[in-house]
Amino acid sequence: MSIPSPASDRSVVERTLSVLGAFDTGNVRLTVSEISRRSGIPVATAYRIVAKLLSWGALERAEHNRYTIGLRLWEIALLAPRHSDLRSAAVPHMFELRAMTRSAVLLSVRDGNEGICLESVSGTARPLHRSWSRGHRFPLHATACGRVLLAAADDLTWEEIHTLGLGPHTPRTVTDPAVLRALVEQGRRQGFAVCDGELLDGVVEVAAPLYDADGTAVGAVGLVTDRDRTAHDRDRTAHVHDLARPLLTAAGRISRSLALRTRTEGQHHSSTDNQRSRT
């Protein structure tokens, strides 16, 4: 029996990942031809890989000869500790925060030079921008959650963002790297970041960091609300601080809950290892 070489094995893995990578929040249902075009692999190869993924449950068949991500892949993704632990710790407090502020509440983490919305709870204002919906990615420089995540980012992330450029989303978007760094540092000092109409005109976002048991920033929780266009700047500033107070309280509670979960799991694993050792 022949054994595939490492090079060919990597090729199979890369092609399979390319098929899965063809799906995103704007393309959740694709035909094989669309998967082939978006992944850059031949149609025949894409068809074979899709058939394998379909039989395993990573893809599911939809109507009109289209395919979607399957439940089995979703179940595996939920096992990611960064997602499951953080979400479990945050969701109860997110609903409380929504009830207090009547604003949309977001839970986000950083993935490279972008942010990802892990969870969202809708508020009473206008519908969320799609970047603030679960599973969507958003720019770090033009959002309050993104600036909170940037405060804990390494130099390589900053370099990548500068290389890609700080693209404008509205006329209010900050596109100057020096100004962005100053705003990120300001947010670090005061404990929360603010973006006013930088991703979506007329929308204000306020966000605060979330910490694990080691004091490492692992995510951000944010509030999204409409900006009162008729209010004076002083009134809008007061409104932001009114939002920041319950936000910071909720962020502290989420961080404590996350730290408790981490310590409890660590003690459980330690106890299990000791029992195995004695056995």
Side-chain angles (χ1 to χ4, degrees), residues 88-159:
S88 298
V91 166
H93 301 289
M94 292 173 66
F95 277 98
E96 292 177 2
L97 189 56
R98 193 272 304 272
M100 292 177 61
T101 64
R102 299 174 62 83
S103 299
V105 187
L106 317 173
L107 176 68
S108 306
V109 295
R110 182 175 65 85
D111 183 27
N113 54 28
E114 293 180 306
I116 298 179
C117 181
L118 293 184
E119 192 61 71
S120 65
V121 179
S122 297
T124 57
R126 71 172 73 181
L128 289 175
H129 186 279
R130 68 176 189 176
S131 296
W132 295 314
S133 300
R134 183 170 58 182
H136 282 266
R137 293 175 176 266
F138 57 85
L140 296 176
H141 71 285
T143 58
C145 281
R147 289 178 186 172
V148 166
L149 298 171
L150 272 175
D154 55 20
D155 291 339
L156 180 59
T157 300
W158 279 95
E159 290 176 8

Side-chain angles (χ1 to χ4, degrees), residues 170-191:
T170 73
R172 300 174 67 94
T173 306
V174 172
T175 57
D176 186 319
V179 175
L180 176 64
R181 279 190 177 271
L183 289 171
V184 169
E185 183 56 35
Q186 178 185 347
R188 194 204 312 269
R189 291 196 305 269
Q190 67 186 7

